[in-house]
């Protein structure tokens, strides 16, 4: 009983933090709309927050991979915003195929060809290269050198996310702790 209560508290905390993060990104978009790429980055962060809200809502359903599609969309928008912020074209190129692969996995899950947990493992693996690409794009900044320390912290956090999602996707986390870790 105590484990279920703490898991429900975790779900509520995730949902509330997602709503607060989404509101924060909306305010950021509205207040700094003229700065190059910042609005795009804020929208990508908002999609990531919306993905966490969707994950809380869809956690114990057969459609939980839909939240991962929202996450992948957020990562792609963050990638475009990062490129734009550092004065490069906001082109996604073949990275956009990650969204198509995510939709294919979701369809396979809906058809019952793969389980919900397998779909989430695959979605985690799809997101790893996107986290790393965003870190790579932030590392290449030739302007705004006064932000070297915050950018280094951002890159470190992106590497931590990539390693975490690699561990989740690579079955390195015990199955009974998978959803709580995610």
């Amino acid at each position: 009983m105590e484990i279920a209560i703490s898991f429900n508290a975790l779900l509520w905390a995730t949902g509330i933090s997602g709503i607060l993060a989404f509101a924060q990104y909306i305010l950021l978009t509205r207040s700094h709309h003229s700065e190059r790429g910042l609005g795009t980055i804020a929208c990508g962060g908002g999609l990531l927050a919306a993905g966490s809200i969707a994950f809380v809502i869809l956690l114990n359903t057969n459609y939980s991979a839909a939240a991962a599609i929202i996450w992948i969309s957020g990562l792609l928008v963050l990638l475009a915003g990062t490129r734009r912020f550092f004065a490069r074209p906001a082109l996604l190129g073949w990275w956009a195929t990650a969204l198509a692969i995510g939709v294919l996995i979701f369809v396979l899950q809906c058809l019952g060809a793969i389980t919900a947990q397998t779909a989430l493992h695959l979605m985690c693996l799809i997101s790893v290269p996107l986290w790393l690409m965003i870190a790579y794009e932030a590392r290449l900044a030739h302007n705004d050198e006064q932000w070297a320390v915050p950018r280094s912290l951002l890159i470190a956090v992106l590497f931590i996310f990539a390693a975490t999602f690699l561990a989740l996707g690579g079955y390195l986390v015990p199955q009974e702790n998978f959803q709580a870790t995610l």
Side-chain angles (χ1 to χ4, degrees):
M1 180 71 175
E2 189 174 315
I3 294 173
I5 291 172
S6 62
F7 189 69
N8 285 335
L10 177 68
L11 290 178
W12 276 102
T14 304
I16 290 170
S17 65
I19 290 169
L20 292 175
F22 189 70
Q24 174 190 2
Y25 287 119
I26 288 174
L27 291 174
L28 180 65
T29 302
R30 292 178 52 85
S31 65
H32 294 94
H33 64 278
S34 64
E35 193 165 341
R36 178 187 68 230
L38 195 55
T40 310
I41 291 171
C43 289
L47 278 172
L48 286 174
S52 71
I53 294 169
F55 182 72
V56 168
I57 293 169
L58 300 172
L59 183 62
N60 293 318
T61 69
N62 288 332
Y63 306 106
S64 56
I69 292 173
I70 298 170
W71 267 85
I72 290 171
S73 299
L75 287 171
L76 288 170
V77 173
L78 276 174
L79 176 59
T82 303
R83 289 183 58 80
R84 189 168 170 224
F85 186 77
F86 293 117
R88 287 188 294 283
L91 302 174
L92 294 175
W94 67 274
W95 294 104
T97 59
L99 187 59
I101 295 169
V103 170
L104 176 65
I105 291 170
F106 177 66
V107 168
L108 290 173
Q109 178 193 359
C110 290
L111 295 174
I114 58 175
T115 65
Q117 196 150 359
T118 301
L120 288 175
H121 281 289
L122 292 171
M123 293 291 201
C124 288
L125 288 176
I126 290 171
S127 70
V128 171
L130 294 174
W131 289 111
L132 293 174
M133 189 62 189
I134 294 168
Y136 177 76
E137 291 295 335
R139 182 193 65 83
L140 289 176
H142 298 295
N143 57 354
D144 301 326
E145 285 305 317
Q146 69 271 17
W147 293 101
V149 172
R151 191 173 53 249
S152 298
L153 288 172
L154 171 67
I155 291 169
V157 168
L158 290 167
F159 276 120
I160 290 169
F161 277 134
T164 302
F165 278 89
L166 183 62
L168 285 167
Y171 292 94
L172 300 177
V173 174
Q175 295 303 314
E176 59 272 5
N177 295 334
F178 175 76
Q179 288 184 332
T181 306
L182 184 59

